[in-house]
Amino acid sequence: PDTSTEKPSRGEVVAAGKGRISTQGDLIPLDVKVGDTVMFGQFSGAEITVGEEKLLVMSEDEIVAVIED
């Protein structure tokens, strides 16, 4: 299938929320933080434009890996 040739993309986290709410109502903090370099699938997230800058909004579940220097 075409998806088997899909290559992950890289990006830098420029903003992050507080986390997500569990089914019990507890806040689960994010594992990523602003400044992290991450890898994600080619079709992950939703692209938005702010001014002249294109940004990708995605959930933490769509991140494949955090790249450490």
Side-chain angles (χ1 to χ4, degrees):
D2 292 336
T3 56
S4 66
T5 60
E6 174 185 324
K7 294 183 180 171
S9 299
R10 280 188 189 199
E12 180 182 344
V13 177
V14 295
K18 294 179 182 179
R20 64 183 174 89
I21 304 296
S22 72
T23 55
Q24 291 80 23
D26 300 321
L27 178 66
I28 301 171
L30 297 174
D31 290 327
V32 297
K33 60 187 179 305
V34 174
D36 283 350
T37 301
V38 296
M39 293 184 76
F40 49 88
Q42 183 177 1
F43 301 106
S44 298
E47 190 174 293
I48 63 167
T49 303
V50 177
E52 294 184 17
E53 188 173 25
K54 289 186 180 180
L55 302 172
L56 198 58
V57 177
M58 68 178 66
S59 68
E60 188 177 44
D61 294 341
E62 295 178 285
I63 296 173
V64 177
V66 177
I67 301 171
E68 297 180 2
D69 291 331

